[in-house]
Amino acid sequence: MKLMGTACNRRLGMICQFAALFVCGVVSSSGQNISQTGNELILKVKPVLGSDGTVTMLEVREEFPGATRDGAPLSLKAALSAITVQHIADSLIDLEVKDAHGIVPLETSDDPPVTGYDSAFRHLRAKRPTSSRVSVSYRIPITPAPKHGPPLGMAAAGKGVAGCGIGFLLLPENTASNVTRMMWDLSSMPAGSVGVVTSGRGDINVNGPPSEMFKQWVLAGPALSVNFDRPSGFHAYLVGTPPFEGRQMLEFGDRSYSALGAWFRYLGLPDYNLLVRAINIPSFGTGTAGEGRGGSLINVGPAYWPGQDGAYFRSAIFHEMTHQWVGLIQGRASWFEEGLTVYMTATLPCEAHLSTPEECAHDLNRNLRNYYASEAKKWSQKRIDNTPFSDEAAREVPYARGALYFANLNSQLLAKSKGTRGLKEALYPLFVVRRDGKGLSQDDFEEMLRRELGQKAVAEFRATTIEGTEEIVPPSGAFGPCLARVTVTSVLKDGHVAVKGYEWRPIVDGAPASCKEP
């Protein structure tokens, strides 16, 4: 499985769409009918509490058809590691696999080690044919929360737990199942606790092969929740005690969701689940999101780190939610997926009066400082893509370089059309085509440039953004009417090399009246 890329302070994407199938079937613990076809994977997760009332372990039970889709012996798989989460498959306790004939003996093999965003898996293959339905049970301790990187491990947050499916699941990889019936056992948790995955709350069905569950963000516990009636599809949940007022932050997420839907337009207001976990140890603010697939998970500690405040996490939430609409480009490309997201995070919150100009500038300038000070500033996109995940300074270059490119492109489009046609209008047809299943490639993007601005724009895009041989210097107003460009000098970590660059700062005198509106 390939994890969708991000750098350490808010990224990654691996979420799956939710589709509910209501057929005659069993009644869930919440009293709602959920589908039963006889061909589904039944997955039940039970958080287990320690003596202090915090989650220490997860108990997992599964049931699925013994027949395989390829006629080969049944095979199960669990991740060996997932970026910052190590020893996942090694942590399974009391694993038991059974069918109608009793215990199913297994043989194990591991994938070769990988780097970057790929995950290597352990495969557990049955040493005899399986019949009827197979049952799997095991326990797995929660993982210590890393202080950097995407929050993939299942970590305790207050009296709850949250993380990602890849961080704790062992799943069949060649069963004929095409829907997972996700169920929760919250009997050991405080009254009123909820269980949520990206695809929805409570006992639900998730369409697709079992591997879709590796891509789900997961949260369980006594969560603060914010749910809005239709037409909004926004829902938000928080477990633990964050350093900010929780409800206000979740409501900011709802306003951001509405602003993003209105700007991009092509998706309307789809279902979206924002999950926030406040873990019990100090941690950088991190986050991960599904590009175009319905959810995100934000990770915070019990107190702000130096340089963090409420605005920092509002920016983090807006950034991660923007991935829903920016989505993916064929072959993966951080200049697009992250660069456009950084550009939108620096501009749309001000335009929609969700943030002040100071707040909009802050996250942008952090990315720009990393860019101008990085030795990878003039590296090609291909070279950056081949750089290990641990080299965050290089990995983050396309975030700023892409943001500068899109700011400059928007300015060029507006100049040509005398203010009537900008980036929003140019990108909309590409997003519609992708939404309708035809995909979106770099070739499609370049054809849009050629149509809008001519072949010269294609050459400029390749030189500045793909090859990195030319630096981008957008005009002063490229990040909106409230910010202006200034020249700055940064000193690299060794204290000896000064680097010239640019920042965008709020206009003090002469800013439009709209910049002062709340």
Side-chain angles (χ1 to χ4, degrees):
M1 174 183 149
K2 185 158 183 158
L3 300 180
M4 300 181 193
T6 85
C8 90
N9 57 325
R10 32 184 166 273
R11 357 275 193 198
L12 179 61
M14 2 182 277
I15 319 300
C16 153
Q17 295 276 12
F18 162 60
L21 303 174
F22 295 97
V23 229
C24 287
V26 262
V27 177
S28 74
S29 58
S30 60
Q32 300 296 317
N33 286 326
I34 54 178
S35 75
Q36 183 178 20
T37 66
N39 202 39
E40 69 279 324
L41 163 67
I42 299 173
L43 172 63
K44 180 177 284 189
V45 178
K46 178 181 181 179
V48 178
L49 307 185
S51 58
D52 62 353
T54 63
V55 178
T56 60
M57 188 169 294
L58 298 170
E59 291 183 356
V60 180
R61 296 184 180 277
E62 303 172 15
E63 185 181 316
F64 50 87
T68 59
R69 65 174 182 272
D70 54 5
L74 173 69
S75 182
L76 308 164
K77 70 176 184 178
L80 293 167
S81 61
I83 305 183
T84 57
V85 187
Q86 305 298 318
H87 308 298
I88 299 169
D90 292 330
S91 300
L92 302 181
I93 300 172
D94 299 332
L95 172 62
E96 184 177 80
V97 181
K98 299 175 64 175
D99 67 0
H101 298 289
I103 298 294
V104 177
L106 303 169
E107 57 184 1
T108 300
S109 64
D110 290 349
D111 291 339
V114 296
T115 59
Y117 301 122
D118 290 337
S119 284
F121 285 87
R122 173 165 296 164
H123 305 270
L124 296 88
R125 296 181 176 88
K127 297 169 74 171
R128 65 167 174 81
T130 49
S131 62
S132 183
R133 288 183 70 81
V134 173
S135 64
V136 176
S137 63
Y138 63 91
R139 296 178 297 140
I140 185 169
I142 62 167
T143 54
K147 295 182 180 180
H148 60 88
L152 299 181
M154 292 294 289
K159 302 300 182 183
V161 64
C164 184
I166 198 171
F168 75 100
L169 287 174
L170 169 71
L171 294 171
E173 59 181 323
N174 62 343
T175 179
S177 299
N178 56 13
V179 64
T180 296
R181 185 147 54 93
M182 175 70 198
M183 304 178 72
W184 291 96
D185 180 349
L186 304 177
S187 58
S188 67
M189 306 201 82
S193 290
V194 299
V196 185
V197 297
T198 303
S199 293
R201 173 174 170 171
D203 295 350
I204 61 168
N205 295 306
V206 179
N207 275 3
S211 59
E212 289 296 331
M213 298 307 300
F214 284 135
K215 307 174 186 179
Q216 297 278 316
W217 305 119
V218 181
L219 178 149
L224 171 67
S225 63
V226 173
N227 296 280
F228 295 89
D229 296 331
R230 296 290 183 181
S232 173
F234 180 80
H235 314 278
Y237 304 88
L238 182 155
V239 287
T241 305
F244 44 73
E245 204 289 314
R247 181 166 294 278
Q248 290 180 3
M249 190 65 73
L250 300 187
E251 290 174 349
F252 170 84
D254 177 63
R255 296 194 300 275
S256 300
Y257 165 92
S258 297
L260 286 160
W263 196 93
F264 284 94
R265 295 178 295 148
Y266 77 101
L267 286 180
L269 295 173
D271 283 343
Y272 195 92
N273 284 295
L274 170 67
L275 310 182
V276 181
R277 70 178 192 187
I279 60 175
N280 302 330
I281 64 171
S283 173
F284 292 113
T286 62
T288 53
E291 288 98 334
R293 308 200 63 186
S296 53
L297 173 63
I298 306 298
N299 186 78
V300 306
Y304 292 127
W305 276 65
Q308 291 180 351
D309 55 14
Y312 176 93
F313 284 102
R314 288 192 293 273
S315 177
I317 286 173
F318 196 93
H319 179 108
E320 297 306 338
M321 292 182 66
T322 302
H323 281 299
Q324 166 77 5
W325 282 269
V326 169
L328 301 176
I329 195 168
Q330 290 174 3
R332 299 308 313 277
S334 52
W335 66 265
F336 178 86
E337 295 150 12
E338 294 293 353
L340 181 54
T341 297
V342 171
Y343 169 75
M344 294 302 303
T345 305
T347 55
L348 184 54
C350 273
E351 178 184 318
H353 304 301
L354 295 169
S355 303
T356 66
E358 290 79 8
E359 292 169 345
C360 289
H362 180 78
D363 195 57
L364 170 65
N365 289 330
R366 180 189 57 78
N367 282 282
L368 295 185
R369 283 190 291 272
N370 291 343
Y371 166 70
Y372 289 116
S374 174
E375 65 176 9
K377 180 177 66 172
K378 294 188 176 181
W379 289 6
S380 69
Q381 180 72 40
K382 182 177 180 179
R383 182 177 177 183
I384 293 171
D385 288 342
N386 291 331
T387 300
F389 182 83
S390 57
D391 188 352
E392 294 173 357
R395 281 285 187 172
E396 288 191 337
V397 162
Y399 289 59
R401 191 160 71 188
L404 291 167
Y405 173 75
F406 282 109
N408 196 51
L409 176 59
N410 184 56
S411 298
Q412 293 173 334
L413 291 166
L414 290 172
K416 181 183 178 183
S417 65
K418 295 181 171 55
T420 62
R421 184 175 178 82
L423 191 62
K424 179 196 298 189
E425 291 75 20
L427 290 177
Y428 178 78
L430 300 182
F431 288 136
V432 170
V433 167
R434 183 183 62 189
R435 179 199 65 194
D436 295 342
K438 295 182 181 179
L440 173 58
S441 67
Q442 182 177 319
D443 288 343
D444 297 323
F445 183 81
E446 290 185 357
E447 180 55 36
M448 179 273 290
L449 292 178
R450 196 173 289 111
R451 184 172 58 251
E452 296 282 349
L453 298 170
Q455 182 60 32
K456 181 180 178 181
V458 176
E460 180 183 40
F461 160 69
R462 293 177 182 173
T464 59
T465 309
I466 302 303
E467 298 303 326
T469 55
E470 295 182 14
E471 188 170 307
I472 310 165
V473 184
S476 182
F479 288 96
C482 303
L483 304 180
R485 190 188 70 206
V486 297
T487 303
V488 296
T489 300
S490 301
V491 178
L492 299 187
K493 291 180 180 178
D494 60 13
H496 299 297
V497 182
V499 178
K500 178 184 175 181
Y502 301 95
E503 289 186 352
W504 270 258
R505 296 177 183 172
I507 297 173
V508 177
D509 297 317
S514 60
C515 298
K516 299 179 175 61
E517 293 179 9

